[in-house]
Amino acid sequence: MVLALVALAAPASAQALPRGFFGIVPQTELRPADYGRMHAGGVETIRVPVAWSAVQGSPRGGFEWSGFEATVEAAAKKRIEVLPFLYSTPHWVSGDTRRLPVDGGRQRRAWSEFVSAAVERFGRQGSFWAEHGPGTKDPVPRLPIRAWQIWNEENFFYFTRPASPGRYARLLVISHRAIHRADPRADVVIGGLFGEPRGRAPQAISAAEFLDRLYRVGGVKANFDAVALHPYAADTASLASLVSSVRATMLRHGDRRSGMYLTEIGWGSQDDPAVVAFEVGRSGQARELRSAYRYLISNRGRLNLQQVDWFTWKDAPGLCNFCDSTGLFHAGAGFRAKPAWRAFIQIAR
């Protein structure tokens, strides 16, 4: 912990940050004005869900991409990249959307077809970009998806049941093969691991333990390029401890090459720590944002950190017990900025 606190005081690195480093995880509908405000403020990536259960309603039906296409198009027009996370098993595959589709050949083939279809549509050689190229009726700046995240919080029952490193390893193998058939250069990012979920296996496993057990599955390392983490914490020092623990797990397994993505971080602006430990008030939200990014940028090389996504863009009342106040803006169609947004701009720009 002493080392983490020392790192917090270090000056920000002058080294250039990776393309797409500053991300947002929106939880409300985005309009053109939102994309414009993001671009002006230095947002380079948005992380969005692509639910298989919504895209393919039946085994004989096609893939309904219209909603996701609108997001990709609007983002590309503002030069904002998209990081999708693929998840949610449809009812015709399993009775539980949280159950990973790895039980039997039928499930595995169906998932593989879905993943391949997504990459063939939006990846580097995607048909979407051909249909919207220069000279077409509706041209869109070419900004194909370069990285694909497989599932979300696979170590926590809220998104995955059961939480099983072995089952998730099987999903990674299937996904890697499907993605690389369509785009051999694409990066495969594991689903964002919840740092320290409450509960015991098979409902919940800490991120470091889940990752340690995942590495122990023979041959799994060849099937992903980056590890993702959701290090929700009471303060930046605690976040630093979570991040360092996961990176140490990677190094212990000889995986120095793989990058790290923090695909959700955030603190709420309500002043109600009795309800949620990381609701710290308006000034506290800005303070933790500044100190977290300062730590992460200063230690980017040591962590091989590729992307950090703030959760979320605007407050989302009723979505979860902390989503109501983690936004950089208050809820609503307008843009009532919080101090955290001004802090974000200072860092990202």
Side-chain angles (χ1 to χ4, degrees):
M1 184 62 70
V2 173
L3 292 176
L5 292 175
V6 170
L8 292 177
S13 170
Q15 182 180 2
L17 297 174
R19 169 182 165 190
F21 184 84
F22 292 101
I24 290 289
V25 187
Q27 295 293 293
T28 54
E29 180 183 356
L30 297 179
R31 296 176 171 83
D34 292 291
Y35 293 101
R37 186 64 61 98
M38 286 182 185
H39 175 72
V43 175
E44 300 168 309
T45 302
I46 57 170
R47 175 180 179 258
V48 297
V50 179
W52 182 21
S53 56
V55 169
Q56 190 179 19
S58 72
R60 290 171 296 278
F63 299 101
E64 175 49 65
W65 298 116
S66 59
F68 185 53
E69 283 186 356
T71 297
V72 171
E73 178 176 346
K77 287 179 176 178
K78 290 299 181 181
R79 307 304 300 176
I80 296 173
E81 297 201 42
V82 174
L83 173 66
F85 66 91
L86 311 179
Y87 80 118
S88 186
T89 305
H91 67 88
W92 52 269
V93 174
S94 171
D96 189 339
T97 58
R98 298 171 294 178
R99 190 165 182 86
L100 300 181
V102 296
D103 296 318
R106 175 175 174 268
Q107 291 192 4
R108 293 192 291 268
R109 283 191 299 273
W111 171 260
S112 179
E113 290 169 2
F114 160 65
V115 173
S116 291
V119 182
E120 289 168 359
R121 183 68 178 153
F122 302 103
R124 285 184 174 85
Q125 303 302 319
S127 58
F128 175 83
W129 306 107
E131 293 172 11
H132 294 275
T136 61
K137 182 179 179 181
D138 184 18
V140 175
R142 183 178 174 81
L143 202 62
I145 293 173
R146 301 179 295 130
W148 301 84
Q149 189 170 34
I150 306 304
W151 218 261
N152 184 64
E153 296 187 355
E154 55 274 9
N155 62 324
F156 187 45
F157 77 92
Y158 193 82
F159 284 97
T160 313
R161 188 173 181 181
S164 164
R167 290 175 60 81
Y168 183 67
R170 275 180 267 165
L171 189 72
L172 279 176
V173 171
I174 302 163
S175 304
H176 179 271
R177 187 179 303 124
I179 290 170
H180 278 229
R181 273 199 302 263
D183 182 358
R185 295 167 54 204
D187 285 336
V188 178
V189 183
I190 75 168
L193 295 166
F194 194 142
E196 291 185 337
R198 292 182 179 180
R200 300 173 62 181
Q203 291 203 339
I205 305 172
S206 73
E209 180 183 351
F210 188 96
L211 185 61
D212 179 67
R213 289 167 57 182
L214 180 66
Y215 275 117
R216 295 178 189 277
V217 178
V220 72
K221 178 58 203 75
N223 294 281
F224 63 89
D225 303 287
V227 170
L229 176 66
H230 296 171
Y232 289 112
D235 52 34
T236 301
S238 300
L239 176 145
S241 179
L242 284 171
V243 173
S244 295
S245 175
V246 167
R247 186 62 183 172
T249 302
M250 297 171 67
L251 297 180
R252 191 165 61 249
H253 287 275
D255 191 9
R256 183 176 298 276
R257 183 188 65 82
S258 288
M260 283 191 72
Y261 284 59
L262 304 188
T263 47
E264 290 182 21
I265 71 166
W267 283 268
S269 62
Q270 291 183 358
D271 191 5
D272 196 1
V275 178
V276 179
F278 40 88
E279 287 193 327
V280 292
R282 284 164 54 88
S283 62
Q285 183 187 40
R287 179 190 67 242
E288 296 300 339
L289 184 151
R290 287 192 192 94
S291 61
Y293 277 100
R294 185 177 178 84
Y295 162 75
L296 295 169
I297 293 171
S298 297
N299 290 274
R300 193 197 72 76
R302 177 178 66 85
L303 299 170
N304 196 10
L305 190 61
Q306 302 300 305
Q307 187 170 305
V308 179
D309 302 326
W310 181 268
F311 186 96
T312 181
W313 178 237
K314 290 184 178 181
D315 290 344
L319 187 62
C320 70
N321 66 348
F322 68 94
C323 309
D324 54 353
S325 72
T326 55
L328 298 174
F329 294 88
H330 293 282
F335 293 97
R336 291 187 297 131
K338 300 179 188 178
W341 173 239
R342 290 185 284 276
F344 182 93
I345 291 174
Q346 291 171 355
I347 295 165
R349 299 299 294 173

